């Protein structure tokens, strides 16, 4: 039976489990149990006069791997609900500006509320929020940035597993559809990235098609894409006391997986420099 024919038979909860068991082997059982468990949420607070924000510690581990020193124009391309925007805003230089973009109107409104509630005015005035299609932002030649974070919409298997409606409707076509959208966003981001700049791509997906395979396509399509080792580049101790989780190395990035990291993740991220 061809792979495409096998994929057509993988539907619903049974198909979901077979698909990921093929990817993770015997580990899938413990990983699935960890996905059903409590996430490792951490409190992020820029000022005790402001509201705290709670996000997965794996997301923090991703965001602090972004080298922001010297960056003046920063873009968070798919920014809602706003956790990574807060990390970037708290770590960027005092003369830097951050554009946080979100296509969905509802999610955009939530992003604005997070920025208003959690950022001090001295930082908030340098964080601009927009509601546009990230895949089309590159059509404006003025949109040039020296740092871009793309936390792409993804399969989010943790949410699929805990929602019977999504689980019953699952099929591999969901992954393929999302990979198409991810590529449109990533290629747009690459076109807006200035030479010498850095792009941080991330998802909360488990599958290769949405992670390493997307980065492999970028390397094949565009010259000058250099994969960098994403080490911790920013000090967040004034804002967060959480212990950052460890990562597992992949071909092009790092993966935080909850069965080995106390519930943190899943969070895949890859750091690329435009040479």
């Amino acid at each position: 039976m061809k792979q495409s024919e096998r994929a057509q038979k993988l539907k619903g909860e049974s198909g979901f489990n077979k698909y990921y068991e093929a990817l993770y082997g015997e580990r899938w059982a413990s990983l699935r149990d960890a996905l059903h468990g409590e996430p490792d949420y951490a409190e992020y607070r820029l000022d005790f006069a402001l509201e705290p924000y709670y996000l997965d510690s794996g997301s923090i581990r991703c965001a602090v791997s972004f080298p922001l020193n010297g960056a003046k124009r920063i873009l968070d391309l798919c920014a809602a609900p706003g956790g990574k925007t807060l990390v970037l805003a708290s770590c960027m230089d005092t003369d830097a500006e951050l554009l946080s973009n979100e296509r969905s109107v509802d999610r955009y409104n939530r992003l604005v509320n997070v920025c208003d509630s959690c950022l001090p005015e001295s930082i908030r005035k340098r964080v601009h929020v927009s509601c546009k299609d990230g895949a089309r932002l590159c059509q404006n030649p003025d949109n040039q940035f020296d740092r871009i974070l793309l936390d792409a919409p993804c399969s989010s298997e943790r949410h699929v597993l805990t929602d019977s409606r999504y689980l019953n409707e699952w099929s591999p076509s969901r992954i393929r559809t999302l990979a198409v959208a991810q590529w449109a966003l990533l290629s747009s981001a690459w076109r807006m990235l200035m030479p010498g700049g850095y792009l941080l791509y991330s998802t909360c997906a488990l599958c290769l098609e949405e992670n390493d395979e997307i980065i492999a396509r970028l390397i094949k399509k565009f010259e000058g894409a250099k994969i960098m080792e994403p080490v911790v580049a920013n000090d967040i101790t004034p804002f967060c006391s959480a212990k950052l989780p460890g990562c597992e190395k992949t071909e092009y990035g790092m993966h935080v997986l909850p069965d080995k990291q106390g519930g943190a993740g899943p969070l895949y991220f890859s750091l690329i420099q435009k040479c």
Side-chain angles (χ1 to χ4, degrees):
M1 186 182 298
K2 295 181 180 179
Q3 184 176 357
S4 60
E5 294 174 340
R6 289 197 299 269
Q8 290 175 6
K9 295 180 178 297
L10 296 175
K11 293 184 178 181
E13 182 176 3
S14 174
F16 182 91
N17 282 305
K18 288 178 180 177
Y19 182 89
Y20 287 98
E21 186 176 24
L23 281 180
Y24 287 92
E26 294 181 355
R27 184 180 180 180
W28 173 239
S30 61
L31 185 52
R32 182 182 57 212
D33 289 345
L35 292 168
H36 277 293
E38 288 294 320
D40 183 33
Y41 285 125
E43 179 184 278
Y44 205 88
R45 186 194 289 266
L46 276 75
D47 190 306
F48 278 96
L50 300 167
E51 292 182 13
Y53 187 90
Y54 296 90
L55 71 164
D56 191 295
S57 61
S59 293
I60 299 176
R61 175 64 180 85
C62 165
V64 300
S65 302
F66 209 8
L68 297 174
N69 186 37
K72 304 306 177 190
R73 298 196 70 198
I74 304 167
L75 171 64
D76 189 351
L77 189 55
C78 299
K84 292 186 180 70
T85 278
L86 296 183
V87 179
L88 298 184
S90 66
C91 296
M92 66 184 184
D93 292 348
T94 55
D95 60 347
E97 300 212 349
L98 170 63
L99 173 61
S100 292
N101 179 73
E102 175 56 48
R103 184 179 70 173
S104 161
V105 174
D106 289 342
R107 287 168 61 82
Y108 162 82
N109 289 331
R110 183 179 177 188
L111 174 63
V112 171
N113 182 64
V114 167
C115 290
D116 291 344
S117 302
C118 302
L119 289 174
E121 178 56 28
S122 60
I123 296 178
R124 179 66 181 91
K125 65 183 181 182
R126 293 184 288 114
V127 177
H128 313 284
V129 186
S130 63
C131 184
K132 297 181 179 180
D133 183 353
R136 296 179 179 270
L137 280 182
C138 64
Q139 296 176 359
N140 184 343
D142 293 332
N143 286 334
Q144 295 289 303
F145 303 89
D146 43 24
R147 301 291 187 276
I148 300 177
L149 168 63
L150 170 55
D151 186 25
C154 69
S155 284
S156 189
E157 291 92 347
R158 185 164 212 156
H159 296 296
V160 172
L161 268 175
T162 56
D163 189 314
S164 59
R165 179 170 65 90
Y166 286 122
L167 187 58
N168 291 334
E169 294 175 352
W170 182 90
S171 76
S173 64
R174 172 184 170 89
I175 295 172
R176 292 191 293 271
T177 300
L178 285 163
V180 170
Q182 290 158 354
W183 173 247
L185 288 163
L186 183 58
S187 57
S188 175
W190 187 256
R191 291 178 169 91
M192 292 187 286
L193 186 65
M194 292 189 288
Y198 291 90
L199 189 154
L200 185 64
Y201 174 84
S202 67
T203 77
C204 55
L206 291 171
C207 54
L208 291 173
E209 289 178 68
E210 299 180 49
N211 296 334
D212 270 354
E213 290 186 12
I214 293 288
I215 303 303
R217 185 174 178 182
L218 180 76
I219 295 170
K220 184 177 181 180
K221 173 72 174 179
F222 297 106
E223 294 183 1
K226 182 181 179 182
I227 303 299
M228 309 296 291
E229 183 177 357
V231 299
V232 174
N234 303 294
D235 178 19
I236 59 163
T237 53
F239 318 111
C240 181
S241 61
K243 180 181 178 181
L244 297 179
C247 308
E248 300 177 31
K249 189 170 178 56
T250 70
E251 185 174 4
Y252 297 116
M254 307 291 282
H255 217 172
V256 179
L257 292 170
D259 59 329
K260 298 291 181 67
Q261 299 302 330
L267 207 296
Y268 169 88
F269 55 103
S270 177
L271 180 64
I272 310 106
Q273 185 177 27
K274 190 174 192 176
C275 300

